[in-house]
Amino acid sequence: MPLTDFGLDELTRYRPESPAPKDFDAFWQRTLAEARSHDETAKTERVTSQHLLRTVDIDDVRFPGWRGEPVAAWLVRPRDAAGPLPVVITYNGYSGGRSLPTDHLFWPAAGYAQLVVDSRGQGHDTPDRGEGDGTQWVKGFMTRGIESPDHYYYRRLMTDCVRAVDAVAQLPGLDPQRIVLAGGSQGGGLALAVAGLTGDRVAAVLADVPFLCHFRRAVQISGEGPYPEIAEYLRWHSRHRVAETFTTLDYFDGVHFAQRATAPALFSVGLMDPVCPPSTVYAAFNHYAGQDRTMTVWPFADHGGGCGSNPPAQLAWLHRRGLAPEV
């Protein structure tokens, strides 16, 4: 995969003007207040024995998300660990859900609890009923409800992801003062969104090759992955609603969440990424409000970023910031 975006020198300086909608904060305050008005509590069921694992405990979790609807998650943690444990809340890539708990053993092996959040409509355990005025969308999730911010799919998903942070206080053995948000691609974009919406409740952010950033440029230059869904939608279904479409997307842009996020953050970028072009990642990184922000650059990587080299780098980065579990 060749380089198709700016060179590294230009990327490090790339900070496009990106004002958020005037009612951005009010929109999200209203959205989250409505979600929190539902008084359901998180529920857990111990399912360790079903997976034949000896060194971790596994809970099947349901916590209230958008409009109080139940969101599925796995809580995986070291067996018999002295709590409360720092917890890594993990958000998933596009079209993926929480999968199986046996896919999530790295962080528990390092002494952390891990809460793996299902993605509504994308995973198998959290359905998305959808909303909107019946406007036709193309395949995937990028244009569901895009006719307005109130109906857009990512309003529901991002709300679920914020409510995962709220749920930590209801789950035994977790330390709500040491919440780490993590994810790659869509998961990285969701981590940025939650960081911007939860403020100092988050101790750190791990955003790998984040998606959902700098939509206007991403839709113009991305040749693979989900962004072309928006271009296809505008080409065939709504060619006269370009301005309105990007107005909706402005309420969900990772650049605007980054402008409100202050927790220490570790980003990563692949300079040959055709799915999340590096300029879109740097647009969020260079607007990030927190002073402690670091970018890991993988010069010859595509959307896989650092692959297996990335988790050890994240672990070392957290340890340097005093976020290691107690021995």
Side-chain angles (χ1 to χ4, degrees):
M1 180 64 63
L3 292 170
T4 58
D5 206 342
F6 301 140
L8 185 57
D9 288 346
E10 191 170 1
L11 288 170
T12 59
R13 300 190 302 270
Y14 185 62
R15 197 174 187 274
E17 289 190 17
S18 185
K22 292 182 179 178
D23 64 340
F24 181 91
D25 295 312
F27 171 83
W28 279 108
Q29 289 167 4
R30 170 171 58 88
T31 297
L32 297 177
E34 196 284 330
R36 289 170 175 148
S37 70
H38 300 272
D39 60 0
E40 292 85 353
T41 59
K43 299 177 175 62
T44 64
E45 178 185 1
R46 183 60 52 87
V47 295
T48 306
S49 61
Q50 299 176 21
H51 300 280
L52 304 178
L53 299 175
R54 298 184 179 182
T55 61
V56 298
D57 279 321
I58 303 166
D59 290 322
D60 189 349
V61 177
R62 296 295 188 280
F63 65 86
W66 165 258
R67 290 189 173 173
E69 296 170 2
V71 179
W74 296 120
L75 178 59
V76 188
R77 51 189 156 184
R79 183 168 298 180
D80 301 324
L85 296 174
V87 55
V88 178
I89 301 179
T90 302
Y91 306 117
N92 294 291
Y94 192 76
S95 77
R98 65 175 181 165
S99 66
L100 297 174
T102 47
D103 293 329
H104 308 289
L105 300 179
F106 173 80
W107 290 110
Y112 295 81
Q114 184 175 15
L115 185 68
V116 185
V117 180
D118 204 32
S119 299
R120 63 168 50 235
Q122 299 181 35
H124 296 293
D125 300 314
T126 309
D128 179 51
R129 295 180 302 179
E131 296 187 6
D133 63 3
T135 299
Q136 186 175 7
W137 59 71
V138 300
K139 61 183 180 181
F141 299 88
M142 296 301 295
T143 59
R144 290 191 179 189
I146 204 169
E147 68 275 2
S148 77
D150 282 343
H151 297 151
Y152 192 43
Y153 167 79
Y154 279 98
R155 185 186 188 209
R156 302 189 290 279
L157 179 55
M158 289 176 177
T159 298
D160 292 345
C161 293
V162 171
R163 295 290 280 148
V165 174
D166 295 343
V168 166
Q170 301 176 359
L171 298 174
L174 306 184
D175 186 350
Q177 302 302 315
R178 293 186 291 168
I179 296 174
V180 178
L181 307 176
S185 191
Q186 176 184 258
L190 294 172
L192 285 177
V194 177
L197 292 170
T198 56
D200 60 6
R201 296 175 61 197
V202 173
V205 183
L206 307 174
D208 291 320
V209 293
F211 182 50
L212 307 172
C213 297
H214 199 10
F215 279 109
R216 293 172 190 266
R217 180 166 176 82
V219 172
Q220 290 175 337
I221 70 172
S222 177
E224 299 180 18
Y227 286 125
E229 293 176 20
I230 299 173
E232 184 177 352
Y233 168 82
L234 291 172
R235 183 180 307 121
W236 296 110
H237 301 301
S238 197
R239 65 192 68 179
H240 302 302
R241 295 191 69 252
V242 173
E244 292 88 342
T245 295
F246 283 104
T247 294
T248 290
L249 293 171
D250 276 344
Y251 288 87
F252 308 93
D253 197 314
V255 172
H256 301 146
F257 294 117
Q259 291 166 341
R260 291 157 171 78
T262 57
L266 177 63
F267 287 66
S268 74
V269 64
L271 296 189
M272 294 184 174
D273 189 344
V275 176
C276 294
S279 58
T280 67
V281 176
Y282 269 97
F285 177 77
N286 289 335
H287 274 285
Y288 195 83
Q291 294 184 351
D292 183 357
R293 57 185 176 92
T294 305
M295 178 71 81
T296 302
V297 179
W298 304 102
F300 293 94
D302 56 13
H303 195 51
C307 297
S309 298
N310 213 46
Q314 293 175 328
L315 184 60
W317 184 87
L318 289 175
H319 276 239
R320 290 194 296 271
R321 281 154 183 80
L323 291 170
E326 291 79 5
V327 178

